[in-house]
Amino acid sequence: MILADQKQIESYTTKGYWGTKTLLDFFNENVEKHPERTAIVDPLNRKDLTGTEAERITFHQLDQAVDAVATGLIKRGLKPDDVVVVQLPNTWELAMLYLAISKAGGLISPVPLQWRSKELKYVCSITEAKFCITVEDFKGFKHGEMMREIMNDASYIQEVILLERLQELLNTPVDDSLLGQVKVDANDSFTLCWTSGTESDPKGCPLSHNNWIFQCRMEIEATDIQEGDVLFTAGPLINMASVGTTYIPWIMTGGTFVLHHPFDPQIFIQQMITEKVNYTLLVPAIANIIVKHPQVDQFDLSNVRAITLGSAPPSLFTIKEFKRRWGIEIGNIWGQNEGTAIVSGPKDIPDIEKRVDNLPQFGKPGVKWSVNVEGIESKIVSVDTGEIVTEVGEVGEFAYKGPNVMPGYFRRPDLNVKAFDEEGYFYTGDLFEIKEGDTIGFFDRKKDIIIRGGYNISAQEVENCLLAHPKIVDVAAVGYVDEVMGERVCIYVVPQKDADVTLEELKDFIKDQGLAIYKSPERMEIVESIPRNPVGKILKASLRQDLKQRSGV
């Protein structure tokens, strides 16, 4: 399914940003070079998740599985450009399906296990999915039953294939002549991932082989991922957070891909150590849990070369702890399912304290970085005036375009009119502050700013500061309505076990860190966990609704 227009394809191809090599070509090269190398490692607790034993799959075994499943899908009726919706936990089969569906000419559309019928009905209807692949039961929820009910109301869904019965496809005799008839172009969409935002329905973000290859060459270079590295995903393999930071780089570098799901601190650390992981992406909350773990002194992370923190800016405390304990350089990564991305590593931002909130402005005219980002263009646009802002300290919406950015939201031209300007820049919905040295700092989501008495407060800044407090495991800051100030700051706090935390001591802590007084929280709620989406982003809307209920509004 080629969705980029021909003019863009010609432009990026002529300039050398896009080529003819597909991700399937990268995979085939790795199969030929290292057939007996371990390609994929299942989660240690797979049996608890699916009832089947964890497996270690070599490149040769994976290649056979890809060809068998691709053959089986074609024989079952999959046609070029058909969409396959996949809702599975992180197992080697999920990683395999990305390749198999593409090889069969289809388009994989992975979705979170947390999604229920409302989201799935929408995704299936807008994609007119031909097949749905899921698990019968996961942690007590009947996914198979839900998907079959959706199929009963959707004539376009031909079949629901369960993980428990995927063996039938894996046993399909490979038909090379049948597979040879499928022509996969580097401009074909490789994935159709989904993002949530201000819209009530998910938004489809199609990225082609060329989009991903451009994106992940940048990621590989910035994080020093090397051929044969062991890459580890802690998050669900469904979107940019895991697909873009570990899965596609694994395909391109031919190492070992280690899966983990759902997040369990003990199992995660065990896998990090025993699998001798070289690189992973974490969300700040998980990194914070690691460095504050009661057994942290026993963790051997000597094989880890680098870690990036995404979904939210890292805390200085966490970065310093990883450097002090293990000599690990923590990078700061910002990205979206739409294909936008910036990676801040030690080469471009050597000062640890600056790396917390300084990202190189990839795409700023006339500026070069250690990472080759030629082809990316960006600008910071004032929300009030629509004019480009350039002065240090100014804040505006980050607009971004390049060979890694999707051609548009899937079958939603109404959204594309709002998201892209006439020059082709995608408006990210994220506000950035212009910093010194051609860098920018994430300020907040456009809709998540807390405005107290006319002052803009970054919830993220408050959260990052409090994450360094020894009694806090996790924290989220949101605004609540106040008749006098407009809004005030409320913090949701997950304390360390058996720790007593007071609002006054946290306000004193923030004051001691040098933050402005108006940024101090004026309300605190103690909770067992912070609600997050599948990739670790805090569900601020849920917290605001909770505040209303607690306040009786």
Side-chain angles (χ1 to χ4, degrees):
M1 186 181 293
I2 298 178
L3 297 175
D5 63 61
Q6 193 58 40
K7 183 178 180 181
Q8 184 183 56
I9 292 173
E10 291 175 356
S11 174
Y12 284 154
T13 302
T14 300
K15 293 174 181 177
Y17 307 143
W18 286 355
T20 59
K21 190 174 183 179
T22 70
L23 291 168
L24 294 173
D25 293 328
F26 278 99
F27 175 68
N28 291 335
E29 289 176 0
N30 291 321
V31 172
E32 291 179 8
K33 289 180 184 176
H34 313 287
E36 299 308 317
R37 173 180 286 172
T38 299
I40 304 179
V41 178
D42 262 333
L44 283 175
N45 57 337
R46 172 175 176 143
K47 190 167 185 178
D48 294 333
L49 304 177
T50 66
T52 52
E53 298 292 341
E55 297 186 65
R56 304 177 72 88
I57 307 297
T58 67
F59 272 101
H60 174 66
Q61 291 171 323
L62 184 59
D63 183 47
Q64 289 181 314
V66 167
D67 286 354
V69 172
T71 299
L73 288 172
I74 294 172
K75 287 185 174 180
R76 287 172 183 247
L78 186 74
K79 299 290 191 298
D81 298 340
D82 281 345
V83 174
V84 181
V85 170
V86 179
Q87 187 181 41
L88 291 175
N90 280 2
T91 60
W92 76 266
E93 292 94 337
L94 173 57
M96 174 272 297
L97 282 167
Y98 279 84
L99 297 163
I101 292 169
S102 178
K103 192 159 190 174
L107 174 57
I108 188 171
S109 185
V111 297
L113 277 163
Q114 292 92 331
W115 278 12
R116 298 298 182 253
S117 59
K118 181 182 182 295
E119 295 94 346
L120 286 168
K121 284 179 180 177
Y122 175 77
V123 166
C124 289
S125 65
I126 198 171
T127 61
E128 297 184 330
K130 180 66 88 49
F131 294 95
C132 296
I133 302 176
T134 189
V135 64
E136 181 62 55
D137 178 285
F138 186 77
K139 289 190 170 294
F141 185 80
K142 306 294 184 181
H143 289 272
E145 181 180 316
M146 174 180 64
M147 200 69 82
R148 288 188 292 271
E149 289 177 356
I150 294 172
M151 184 178 73
N152 290 337
D153 297 326
S155 59
Y156 43 82
I157 300 177
Q158 179 177 310
E159 185 180 0
V160 173
I161 302 172
L162 298 176
L163 177 64
E164 292 84 349
R165 298 182 60 187
L166 196 61
Q167 193 63 42
E168 295 176 14
L169 284 174
L170 289 167
N171 290 334
T172 305
V174 175
D175 188 333
D176 290 326
S177 62
L178 194 63
L179 295 176
Q181 296 174 26
V182 179
K183 304 301 179 185
V184 180
D185 191 281
N187 293 308
D188 274 317
S189 297
F190 181 68
T191 57
L192 177 56
C193 300
W194 299 87
T195 192
S196 302
T198 56
E199 303 296 321
S200 59
D201 294 315
K203 297 175 287 187
C205 304
L207 292 179
S208 70
H209 293 258
N210 269 327
N211 288 143
W212 279 120
I213 291 167
F214 183 92
Q215 178 84 300
C216 293
R217 277 183 174 146
M218 185 170 66
E219 160 80 358
I220 289 167
E221 188 176 351
T223 58
D224 194 28
I225 294 173
Q226 299 175 12
E227 193 278 331
D229 270 354
V230 178
L231 308 184
F232 188 25
T233 181
L237 189 60
I238 57 170
N239 53 24
M240 180 64 71
S242 287
V243 178
T245 61
T246 53
Y247 180 72
I248 304 295
W250 161 71
I251 291 177
M252 295 175 66
T253 57
T256 299
F257 188 48
V258 181
L259 295 164
H260 177 88
H261 189 91
F263 182 72
D264 181 295
Q266 294 298 121
I267 295 175
F268 177 82
I269 290 296
Q270 185 178 350
Q271 286 182 282
M272 281 276 285
I273 296 171
T274 59
E275 297 295 342
K276 299 182 178 180
V277 169
N278 301 121
Y279 170 77
T280 189
L281 169 89
L282 301 175
V283 297
I286 293 177
N288 201 50
I289 287 172
I290 292 173
V291 296
K292 292 184 177 182
H293 194 282
Q295 296 175 313
V296 65
D297 292 331
Q298 300 174 28
F299 297 164
D300 177 8
L301 302 183
S302 58
N303 289 287
V304 179
R305 186 182 308 112
I307 292 174
T308 49
L309 300 185
S311 293
S315 71
L316 178 60
F317 168 77
T318 301
I319 288 183
K320 285 184 173 180
E321 278 296 285
F322 270 88
K323 179 71 172 178
R324 180 182 72 84
R325 286 184 173 278
W326 303 291
I328 297 172
E329 293 284 2
I330 296 286
N332 184 2
I333 190 168
W334 169 89
Q336 299 172 303
N337 288 319
E338 288 86 350
T340 55
I342 302 176
V343 186
S344 175
K347 293 179 182 177
D348 288 319
I349 313 289
D351 187 323
I352 288 179
E353 296 197 12
K354 287 186 178 180
R355 205 182 310 150
V356 171
D357 56 5
N358 286 52
L359 291 162
Q361 187 181 342
F362 288 175
K364 182 176 180 179
V367 180
K368 291 187 179 296
W369 302 97
S370 65
V371 181
N372 181 10
V373 295
E374 184 179 351
I376 294 174
E377 301 173 63
S378 68
K379 57 186 178 181
I380 309 291
V381 181
S382 169
V383 175
D384 297 324
T385 67
E387 299 294 324
I388 297 174
V389 296
T390 58
E391 298 299 319
V392 173
E394 290 187 298
V395 175
E397 184 173 3
F398 191 41
Y400 187 115
K401 72 174 179 177
N404 45 338
V405 179
M406 66 173 187
Y409 290 114
F410 190 74
R411 295 177 180 170
R412 290 296 305 269
D414 56 320
L415 296 180
N416 294 331
V417 170
K418 301 175 186 178
F420 293 86
D421 67 15
E422 294 179 353
E423 297 178 298
Y425 283 88
F426 171 72
Y427 280 67
T428 64
D430 282 354
L431 299 179
F432 280 79
E433 178 183 353
I434 298 175
K435 306 249 183 193
E436 295 180 349
D438 300 315
T439 65
I440 54 178
F442 178 81
F443 190 78
D444 221 321
R445 285 291 298 169
K446 189 176 176 181
K447 59 184 175 61
D448 281 343
I449 295 175
I450 301 168
I451 305 177
R452 184 188 187 280
Y455 288 94
N456 289 350
I457 300 172
S458 167
Q460 198 65 64
E461 183 180 23
V462 176
E463 291 160 359
N464 280 347
C465 177
L466 290 175
L467 276 173
H469 194 283
K471 292 184 180 180
I472 290 180
V473 174
D474 203 2
V475 63
V478 293
Y480 65 99
V481 177
D482 181 80
E483 291 183 358
V484 177
M485 304 304 294
E487 283 185 304
R488 294 181 188 270
V489 178
C490 173
I491 53 172
Y492 279 76
V493 171
V494 179
Q496 291 278 17
K497 186 178 180 181
D498 300 325
D500 292 323
V501 183
T502 67
L503 179 59
E504 287 305 313
E505 72 177 298
L506 296 185
K507 292 173 72 170
D508 289 341
F509 183 79
I510 281 180
K511 183 180 179 180
D512 291 342
Q513 301 306 303
L515 266 67
I517 294 176
Y518 69 83
K519 297 179 182 179
S520 292
E522 296 172 87
R523 176 172 176 171
M524 180 178 71
E525 301 292 340
I526 299 294
V527 292
E528 292 184 358
S529 64
I530 302 295
R532 297 176 181 273
N533 71 6
V535 297
K537 290 185 179 180
I538 299 171
L539 298 175
K540 295 293 180 76
S542 296
L543 294 179
R544 293 191 188 97
Q545 184 61 35
D546 180 74
L547 265 181
K548 289 182 179 179
Q549 292 176 352
R550 290 173 185 257
S551 303
V553 178

